[in-house]
Amino acid sequence: MKYIFGPVPSRRLGWSLGLDILPYKTCSFDCIYCELGPTTCRTIDPIGLIEPGAVLAELESFLAAHPEKIDFLTISGSGEPTLHPELGSLIRELKRHYTLPVALITNASLFFRPQVLEQVRAADLIIPSLDAVDPETLAAVNRPHPDLDHKSLLEGLLALGRLKGPRLWLEILLIKGLNDHPDQIDRFKQLSAAINPEKIQINTVVRPPVESWALPLETTRLAQIREQLGPQAEIIARPDRQSDRTIRWEDEIIKLVSRRPCTAEDLAQLTGWPPDETLALLQRLIAGGKITAAPFNQEMYYRCRTLDT
Ligand code: SF4
């Protein structure tokens, strides 16, 4: 599978089957906390290298072979999906062929363009990010393409908030000392009220970031911020640990950790294997040079980039 990954236990979408529609790693941002690695193609120009028809064909064969429960088809993956010029037709085709809801995870940088807004209209759920309440923080945290500015980003988010159709959950990813000052949280609250999402999802750095100095907030501080942001706000929880799901083992683990770093606990849940067997498998994969391991935030993360480079 080149364009389909998972299903993975998403912290907010349940069992999410990912659709990756951009080459690694194509994005309008180069966020300091990105778990995918540095942006190798930072652009705001449309990139249509992957044919929607190829994604749909792969999805069809995947679903035919894997009847397990899926909660969302999620367009995300190796960069910013709104850069794809045929995103709209892909979403419409997904809706035409399947009853599964379609979610889009986006950095929201391009919604100031009316044609990009139009492309996402058919999605069931859009999860845009807002990490910066001012231009300085945008530059420090998201490191956008030089032709993007904070004003356009906010205009795009406000326009997205007015779009009829998709549900909207706004994600705010907080990094210690960079965008978590109480004044910044107040401003997040004002901006969120103007955008008017159904939910505000508070996140922090939970997987190894591009920059090792991008640090997570403590649980107690996240809880304070949730209070400050009001009843729509929630801290994105870890996925349910009580899964009896069994899916496709060694190859699947390599594929999953090539997309994003995972802990042994994440992978034990995915495979349905006991943790000690999962650890033994991970050790074999490390010994065989197929994956690597590195500590972050008191947890060990396993990763592999060989499929993407
Ligand atoms: S917008 Fe997403 S994919 Fe792009 S650099 Fe930021 S975290 Fe990574």
Side-chain angles (χ1 to χ4, degrees):
M1 293 289 163
K2 285 171 68 180
Y3 312 118
I4 309 293
F5 60 97
V8 294
S10 160
R11 282 176 289 162
R12 50 194 150 188
L13 297 173
W15 287 102
S16 163
L17 188 66
L19 275 59
D20 193 357
I21 61 171
L22 289 174
Y24 177 86
K25 184 204 160 191
T26 309
C27 193
S28 49
F29 286 175
D30 185 15
C31 301
I32 60 170
Y33 61 79
C34 188
E35 63 193 38
L36 300 174
T39 297
T40 48
C41 176
R42 192 175 58 167
T43 182
I44 56 170
D45 296 326
I47 301 257
L49 293 177
I50 295 174
E51 290 288 329
V55 179
L56 289 163
E58 196 173 286
L59 178 63
E60 187 177 346
S61 64
F62 179 91
L63 291 175
H66 300 97
E68 60 258 37
K69 180 175 180 287
I70 291 166
D71 297 307
F72 272 96
L73 298 174
T74 305
I75 303 172
S76 59
S78 301
E80 172 48 38
T82 60
L83 284 166
H84 199 298
E86 293 177 80
L87 174 62
S89 71
L90 174 65
I91 295 173
R92 287 190 295 276
E93 285 300 300
L94 290 172
K95 296 298 299 172
R96 197 157 72 85
H97 291 291
Y98 304 103
T99 55
L100 291 166
V102 176
L104 172 74
I105 298 179
T106 168
N107 66 19
S109 60
L110 301 174
F111 289 120
F112 67 91
R113 294 175 172 163
Q115 65 273 30
V116 173
L117 261 190
E118 195 50 44
Q119 297 244 34
V120 303
R121 187 182 286 279
D124 295 284
L125 172 65
I126 301 177
I127 306 179
S129 300
L130 175 64
D131 306 326
V133 296
D134 53 54
E136 294 73 27
T137 313
L138 182 73
V141 171
N142 302 114
R143 302 189 294 201
H145 185 278
D147 292 342
L148 289 174
D149 60 56
H150 192 254
K151 185 165 172 282
S152 305
L153 175 80
L154 288 185
E155 282 172 5
L157 273 167
L158 291 168
L160 185 66
R162 293 190 295 270
L163 189 71
K164 297 275 181 274
R167 299 167 68 189
L168 198 63
W169 298 351
L170 182 68
E171 176 178 348
I172 299 174
L173 191 140
L174 297 167
I175 302 152
K176 198 169 193 169
L178 282 177
N179 60 356
D180 62 334
H181 188 279
D183 293 345
Q184 291 171 302
I185 305 301
D186 271 343
R187 185 71 181 132
F188 274 125
K189 188 171 182 178
Q190 292 164 6
L191 292 172
S192 303
I195 296 163
N196 195 25
E198 185 184 319
K199 296 182 188 181
I200 303 168
Q201 299 197 311
I202 305 165
N203 203 352
T204 190
V205 184
V206 294
R207 295 179 192 276
V210 168
E211 305 295 354
S212 57
W213 40 267
L215 297 175
L217 271 61
E218 293 87 5
T219 310
T220 48
R221 180 70 186 123
L222 290 172
Q224 288 168 351
I225 290 170
R226 181 184 57 195
E227 288 298 309
Q228 196 176 343
L229 289 176
Q232 282 169 296
E234 63 185 16
I235 299 167
I236 301 173
R238 288 253 173 196
D240 176 17
R241 300 291 177 198
Q242 302 304 314
S243 171
D244 60 357
R245 170 73 57 107
T246 53
I247 56 175
R248 303 149 298 282
W249 327 138
E250 183 170 320
D251 286 349
E252 193 66 22
I253 281 179
I254 292 171
K255 203 164 63 169
L256 287 167
V257 300
S258 77
R259 299 276 177 180
R260 64 193 64 211
C262 295
T263 64
E265 191 182 4
D266 293 334
L267 295 166
Q269 182 184 37
L270 281 168
T271 58
W273 280 12
D276 54 341
E277 288 185 41
T278 305
L279 269 175
L281 172 59
L282 289 167
Q283 292 304 330
R284 282 203 300 278
L285 291 172
I286 290 170
K290 293 179 177 172
I291 65 171
T292 58
F296 175 72
N297 198 23
Q298 301 178 336
E299 292 204 79
M300 185 63 75
Y301 280 85
Y302 298 86
R303 70 187 311 162
C304 165
R305 276 272 157 241
T306 53
L307 297 185
D308 296 310
T309 54

